[in-house]
Amino acid sequence: MSEPLPGASPRAPSPDALLDPRETRAPELREAELMSRLSALVAVAQAQAPAYAELLRGVDAASVASRAALAMLPLTRKRALAERQRAERARDVFGGFATLGIGAAHAPARRAGRVFASPGPIYEPEGAASDYWRMGRAMRASGIQAGDLVHNAFSYHFTPAAAMIESGARALGCTVFPAGIGQTELQVQTIADLRPDAYAGTPSFLKLIVDKAAESGTDIGSITKASVGAEAFPAALRDWLSARGIDAYQSYGTADLGLVAYETSAREGLVLDEDVIVEIVEPGGSTPVVDGEIGEVVVTVLNPDYPLIRFATGDLSAVLPGACPSGRTNTRIRGWLGRADQSAKVRGMFVHPSQVAEVLRRHSAVRKGRLVVAGTLADDRMRLDIELDPGAGDAADLAERVAETIRDVTRLRGEVAIVAPGSLPDDGRLIEDTRAVG
């Protein structure tokens, strides 16, 4: 195992000493507060966000006070958000999803303080609240605390990533160096000069910095803790950094939602933020799955400035059972397990997970299914593997009816294969593309 970097500071006290009362409250108290805030959020969205006035027309906001009621509301997908923003751009760059706006037509209290652009483009507003994106909670869980100097290597260009970290760090009482991305040699020299306590950025860029410092013999051992995100953080890289004196913890969030979940010292999944309601739904659908089953992460963020309700992230995860050993009592998820959007182009037409889910929904005797696309890109073959419930009846007749449904839903022909119960992987995927290119 490698030795810590020269000049490394002593390890910081356990982040678990920094818990706040919201993180440790009884789950039933948290749930009651979340449901109360949910009803209020729906009312605000209906009254002040034109897109939700349409999407939630006829919904009684007061009745949306349970997870079952929430699950009856429509999803908002990123694709639909981008499309509506494009259509409404001349009138409202946020597409009617925000209660904030831009320009003198809006009262000062309802003007966005900053606007960011994510690929799409999708425009995101930032309101005036301290730690607007709520990243301070994740940073505190990584051991960052008041008085620390944070080397912020997230992008300060267009997207909100760096602003999310900066607002969280400043809310904790930290000083921030706005490093941004790139210029690895200059990053190393700046760290050697300023002696920051913590790094924030992608884990892969932190590795590049550590490698460059080792290559040049530069002392960057002041960094002993890190809050990382925006990409996968494999255990091997976590251990590699730890061996060099850096304890790094990951967070999971998006430019639309802010913080969703964060890692703790327990290293057992990610704990949900206190200001979001998370559902895990069937891939391609909108119905919540049983706890422990892999599905798509759907988030309702309790932010009246940008009240995204049932926002489908496209990411796969699953709920972990039990409470976090760190003392936090909120629900945990397993972390990022891949993407739910597994669309495949077959014979010139796109087939989406939502279509596979619709085929399965129409046949109650089908327990589980996966569409396999095989052959080559010039010779596509499509087969739906299905598991049946006991007592499903005539399997051959059912397979024929499922094949008819495939044609009806996708406008494509596909074979149906009945497989043994339990033989399909439990990974949340509805489409598997096995084609060779050429």
Side-chain angles (χ1 to χ4, degrees):
M1 180 176 290
S2 302
E3 294 295 323
L5 292 171
S9 303
R11 297 295 176 93
S14 168
D16 297 341
L18 306 172
L19 300 184
D20 69 44
R22 297 184 73 204
E23 292 175 307
T24 58
R25 57 187 161 164
E28 58 270 19
L29 295 179
R30 176 183 295 109
E31 187 71 3
E33 187 213 7
L34 290 176
M35 293 305 108
S36 175
R37 293 176 67 189
L38 174 62
S39 296
L41 185 81
V42 171
V44 167
Q46 289 175 316
Q48 300 180 36
Y52 280 115
E54 293 180 21
L55 287 169
L56 304 179
R57 183 176 289 118
V59 172
D60 176 18
S63 71
V64 187
S66 68
R67 290 180 182 266
L70 176 63
M72 299 298 291
L73 302 183
L75 296 181
T76 297
R77 293 197 173 276
K78 189 179 284 283
R79 180 176 63 250
L81 179 63
E83 289 172 353
R84 179 155 181 134
Q85 283 197 359
R86 281 194 294 271
E88 298 288 325
R89 193 149 294 157
R91 290 182 293 177
D92 179 3
V93 295
F94 305 127
F97 284 96
T99 65
L100 301 178
I102 302 171
H106 300 271
R110 302 315 304 158
R111 290 178 199 156
R114 287 192 283 191
V115 180
F116 298 96
S118 295
I122 292 176
Y123 295 102
E124 298 102 5
E126 181 182 72
S130 173
D131 195 9
Y132 177 82
W133 308 92
R134 309 174 314 283
M135 289 300 301
R137 190 178 302 281
M139 299 181 73
R140 194 179 65 233
S142 68
I144 297 172
Q145 53 194 306
D148 283 350
L149 173 59
V150 178
H151 186 90
N152 187 4
F154 276 113
S155 174
Y156 275 86
H157 181 65
F158 271 69
T159 69
M164 292 166 70
I165 288 294
E166 180 159 324
S167 62
R170 295 184 69 176
L172 290 178
C174 301
T175 301
V176 177
F177 177 73
I181 58 175
Q183 298 180 288
T184 311
E185 290 183 2
L186 187 56
Q187 300 259 4
V188 168
Q189 185 57 54
T190 303
I191 292 170
D193 291 343
L194 295 180
R195 309 297 293 167
D197 305 277
Y199 165 94
T202 63
S204 59
F205 191 52
L206 176 56
K207 184 180 187 302
L208 284 176
I209 289 174
V210 173
D211 281 338
K212 181 63 69 174
E215 177 185 309
S216 62
T218 305
D219 173 15
I220 62 168
S222 64
I223 294 180
T224 60
K225 45 199 172 184
S227 180
V228 300
E231 64 186 22
F233 185 38
L237 179 52
R238 179 198 68 201
D239 295 342
W240 186 91
L241 291 169
S242 180
R244 287 153 180 82
I246 302 172
D247 286 330
Y249 294 84
Q250 63 181 314
S251 62
Y252 167 48
T254 76
D256 317 275
L257 300 162
L259 180 66
V260 175
Y262 57 98
E263 190 175 23
T264 76
S265 60
R267 304 284 191 187
E268 294 183 9
L270 306 180
V271 176
L272 298 185
D273 178 49
E274 295 294 325
D275 294 294
V276 298
I277 300 171
V278 170
E279 303 167 88
I280 308 293
V281 308
E282 58 188 12
S286 63
T287 303
V289 301
V290 175
D291 282 357
E293 191 173 321
I294 296 173
E296 183 176 5
V297 178
V298 170
V299 182
T300 297
V301 61
L302 298 169
N303 176 4
D305 291 342
Y306 197 28
L308 293 177
I309 298 169
R310 299 205 84 201
F311 186 79
T313 65
D315 296 324
L316 294 173
S317 193
V319 169
L320 278 175
C324 181
S326 71
R328 296 168 176 86
T329 57
N330 208 345
T331 302
R332 297 176 299 160
I333 58 175
R334 287 175 56 185
W336 187 78
L337 300 177
R339 292 289 294 171
D341 183 8
Q342 309 141 25
S343 300
K345 200 169 189 179
V346 181
R347 297 193 286 278
M349 295 180 65
F350 277 105
V351 179
H352 302 285
S354 58
Q355 293 174 300
V356 179
E358 175 62 17
V359 171
L360 302 178
R361 186 191 66 79
R362 293 189 187 184
H363 299 276
S364 59
V366 177
R367 171 189 295 174
K368 196 174 184 181
R370 173 178 290 211
L371 187 72
V372 179
V373 183
T376 66
L377 295 178
D379 181 25
D380 306 312
R381 296 191 300 276
M382 196 166 73
R383 183 188 76 244
L384 182 64
D385 294 341
I386 57 174
E387 296 179 15
L388 303 182
D389 284 329
D394 188 334
D397 176 66
L398 178 59
E400 185 175 333
R401 287 188 282 117
V402 172
E404 291 174 359
T405 305
I406 293 173
R407 289 195 296 273
D408 180 46
V409 172
T410 69
R411 307 302 179 194
L412 294 165
R413 292 183 178 274
E415 301 174 4
V416 175
I418 297 173
V419 299
S423 61
L424 294 180
D426 184 21
D427 58 6
R429 295 186 65 84
L430 287 177
I431 299 177
E432 181 181 3
D433 194 339
T434 65
R435 291 173 293 187
V437 177

